[in-house]
Amino acid sequence: MFGQMRRQVKDCIAGTARTTLQRPHPPLTHFPHAHPHVWHKGWSKQPVENREGLAYGGNANHRPNKPYQDHKRRSNTQPSGAQDHKDANIYNILRKRTQSPPVVFLKTHKTGSSTVQNLLFRMGEKNRATFAFPHYTYQFGYPDKFRAEFVDELPDGYSQYDILCSHMRLDVVQLKQVMPPNAIYITILREPLQTFESVFSYYTTTVPAFTLAKQTAEHKSALSVFLESPDSFWDPNEPGNGLGKNPMSFDLGLNSQQWISSWPADLTLLEETFQLVMIAEHFDESLVLLGALLNLKLEELAYVRLNTRSPQDVTPLDDITKARIRAWNSLDVLLYDYFLQVFWEKAEQYGLERLNREVALLRASTDTIRQKCVARNGVPPGELEDLVRPWQSDSVTILGYQVQGNLTKQEQGFCIRLVLPEIQYHAHLYFQQYGRDMRAVPTE
């Protein structure tokens, strides 16, 4: 199926990727045109296993409690002439640099995780990293918990995976069977009220509980109808309802249906496993801490916000709606509050003044790159080329970016990758690694 979806990209983009590597490194030409009737974003047809609580193994305590304490501070000064040289190298997508450690990124839903994944895709492509890709499509059997068997085989001649960052539901024991023991584990959380509103909006036609509320709603919003009586729509035994309650807890492998006695221990185990839980409301601060863990320069942390909805698809939340979302997602509130405190503890270890200083530098660097790369933001899908058009949900409009036209081939290759949607980038890297297109989930 994916082979029939190829399209040829401009020759200037192809020129940026035709570099002699140990494995095939094709131009940006192998991208599927996602279609909602082919497979839904974030979902597969595989059944959910009825497993509660967390599955953890091994000893996570070998990781340092203060990973930022001894990290070398970045210099704020540049030798004479070095700035011009640095600016020229920003857009080099395949230059040699210090290798980052292996990374596991738990890509949570509607938290800003696509933006982080894009950064990891760019980092991995630059480093010629070996990605742990799903055997089918671009997610690991979701909403089933992760299993090692979901991962495609290692390419010939390679001894380990370097990056795993596709959608999954957490099972650390299984992850440790796939990733090296020195892998760094990171994820991202978002304020629960905004997360649930976004999840509901994006998956109205995918999560059965949301769909029932939509069918019932007449002159009210489907979200308000659902929240008036969520238990009347939400069936905990329906596999597709995983994101219908406490979606972040669900992604993290926790019991997301109700509080159970293992929750305190589960939170402690999560804290021991993840060296960084990024916070969407403090995204730039999170990126600086991420850069310290992965040995990334500030310009390598540049980003644009991906997978954003049209403002018309965002539901305003009044006080009553907020209270109802908070009550329905009480475990996500607990999860977020817990790791928000952990985040600021890590920020203090890093040094708040140092963090603020580097956030300012990151924003300045990112603004410069955005001005160089982006001609228009918030572009409707109908005005975008296939290469940079985001996958569209049945219920919302996802906006994208138009890249500047007055760029060199090298700059254009970098800038397109900066704005490249998840499915297109995933397909490109998969073909680059295996020399074949992604597999679709088999139809029954």
Side-chain angles (χ1 to χ4, degrees):
M1 178 188 68
F2 291 106
Q4 299 174 352
M5 295 178 177
R6 299 180 188 177
R7 71 181 296 268
Q8 187 66 36
V9 185
K10 297 177 181 178
D11 290 340
C12 58
I13 306 302
T16 66
R18 292 197 180 111
T19 304
T20 302
L21 301 177
Q22 294 179 340
R23 64 163 69 102
H25 193 284
L28 288 169
T29 57
H30 299 276
F31 298 104
H33 302 296
H35 192 281
H37 299 295
V38 177
W39 30 264
H40 287 286
K41 186 177 188 303
W43 297 90
S44 77
K45 296 181 180 179
Q46 301 184 28
V48 176
E49 293 186 359
N50 185 19
R51 287 182 281 177
E52 296 184 351
L54 290 173
Y56 283 86
N59 181 8
N61 293 319
H62 71 278
R63 296 186 176 89
N65 292 327
K66 298 182 179 181
Y68 308 106
Q69 185 168 312
D70 299 322
H71 183 75
K72 294 181 180 179
R73 301 192 178 199
R74 300 180 177 92
S75 173
N76 295 336
T77 62
Q78 293 284 341
S80 177
Q83 183 64 43
D84 292 339
H85 178 71
K86 184 185 78 170
D87 290 343
N89 282 337
I90 287 175
Y91 305 100
N92 188 340
I93 63 170
L94 289 172
R95 66 183 174 86
K96 293 183 178 180
R97 51 176 297 284
T98 302
Q99 291 289 312
S100 298
V103 180
V104 174
F105 175 56
L106 178 63
K107 190 176 186 294
T108 48
H109 286 83
K110 313 316 299 174
T111 58
S113 63
S114 292
T115 303
V116 181
Q117 183 193 54
N118 176 274
L119 186 153
L120 296 175
F121 277 165
R122 286 183 280 129
M123 180 190 79
E125 186 174 20
K126 179 180 291 184
N127 290 345
R128 292 112 169 167
T130 302
F131 286 88
F133 281 128
H135 189 77
Y136 295 114
T137 70
Y138 59 99
Q139 47 83 39
F140 291 107
Y142 198 89
D144 200 355
K145 281 190 176 182
F146 178 87
R147 295 201 296 270
E149 66 194 64
F150 291 163
V151 181
D152 219 328
E153 68 271 15
L154 265 172
D156 292 340
Y158 292 85
S159 60
Q160 70 173 41
Y161 297 105
D162 302 311
I163 300 175
L164 188 154
C165 60
S166 301
H167 266 307
M168 63 178 164
R169 189 171 180 227
L170 183 65
D171 188 314
V172 175
V173 171
Q174 292 288 312
L175 277 171
K176 288 181 177 179
Q177 295 181 24
V178 175
M179 297 301 291
N182 63 329
I184 289 177
Y185 286 70
I186 58 176
T187 190
I188 183 169
L189 300 178
R190 182 185 180 190
E191 192 280 318
L193 277 65
Q194 300 301 321
T195 300
F196 188 78
E197 184 278 325
S198 183
V199 166
F200 190 98
S201 174
Y202 199 91
Y203 293 108
T204 299
T205 61
T206 305
V207 174
F210 298 166
T211 303
L212 287 175
K214 176 72 172 178
Q215 294 170 349
T216 304
E218 295 181 355
H219 303 295
K220 294 182 179 180
S221 72
L223 177 62
S224 63
V225 170
F226 175 82
L227 291 170
E228 286 174 0
S229 181
D231 284 312
S232 64
F233 300 108
W234 185 72
D235 178 2
N237 296 317
E238 165 57 53
N241 277 337
L243 292 177
K245 185 177 186 180
N246 299 300
M248 293 187 292
S249 299
F250 183 79
D251 281 343
L252 282 165
L254 295 160
N255 185 319
S256 59
Q257 298 182 12
Q258 60 185 354
W259 169 271
I260 57 176
S261 59
S262 68
W263 249 81
D266 291 343
L267 289 177
T268 300
L269 288 168
L270 285 173
E271 182 182 357
E272 292 173 349
T273 298
F274 286 90
Q275 280 126 313
L276 177 63
V277 176
M278 303 172 68
I279 301 296
E281 287 70 34
H282 304 286
F283 194 76
D284 291 343
E285 291 86 351
S286 296
L287 283 183
V288 169
L289 297 182
L290 178 66
L293 282 174
L294 302 185
N295 303 317
L296 296 176
K297 298 179 181 179
L298 289 176
E299 60 267 19
E300 295 176 288
L301 299 170
Y303 68 94
V304 295
R305 295 191 180 275
L306 298 175
N307 212 24
T308 58
R309 293 173 290 165
S310 169
Q312 288 78 10
D313 292 321
V314 179
T315 303
L317 303 179
D318 57 29
D319 291 341
I320 294 177
T321 303
K322 290 179 180 179
R324 288 173 173 171
I325 292 177
R326 187 177 291 107
W328 180 245
N329 297 276
S330 59
L331 298 180
D332 268 7
V333 173
L334 173 64
L335 178 73
Y336 178 84
D337 289 347
Y338 182 92
F339 279 104
L340 180 62
Q341 180 178 345
V342 171
F343 175 83
W344 285 116
E345 290 173 358
K346 292 184 182 295
E348 290 179 355
Q349 293 171 14
Y350 191 78
L352 292 179
E353 290 186 6
R354 174 189 175 197
L355 181 61
N356 290 333
R357 182 170 63 250
E358 295 196 4
V359 164
L361 292 172
L362 169 63
R363 289 172 177 168
S365 174
T366 297
D367 286 345
T368 298
I369 291 173
R370 287 174 181 169
Q371 291 173 16
K372 180 73 173 181
C373 287
V374 178
R376 295 170 60 204
N377 56 33
V379 182
E383 301 177 22
L384 293 168
E385 297 182 25
D386 290 348
L387 176 62
V388 293
R389 183 184 299 125
W391 183 88
Q392 297 298 307
S393 164
D394 292 340
S395 53
V396 297
T397 299
I398 306 300
L399 306 177
Y401 296 86
Q402 180 182 346
V403 174
Q404 294 279 9
N406 57 337
L407 301 173
T408 66
K409 290 182 179 181
Q410 186 180 64
E411 292 168 344
Q412 193 169 39
F414 172 89
C415 293
I416 284 181
R417 285 165 172 81
L418 183 71
V419 306
L420 201 58
E422 173 185 357
I423 296 176
Q424 287 93 316
Y425 211 156
H426 188 294
H428 164 65
L429 292 173
Y430 186 92
F431 189 92
Q432 173 180 309
Q433 181 161 302
Y434 292 108
R436 63 174 184 261
D437 292 299
M438 295 192 309
R439 304 180 186 92
V441 175
T443 58
E444 299 176 353

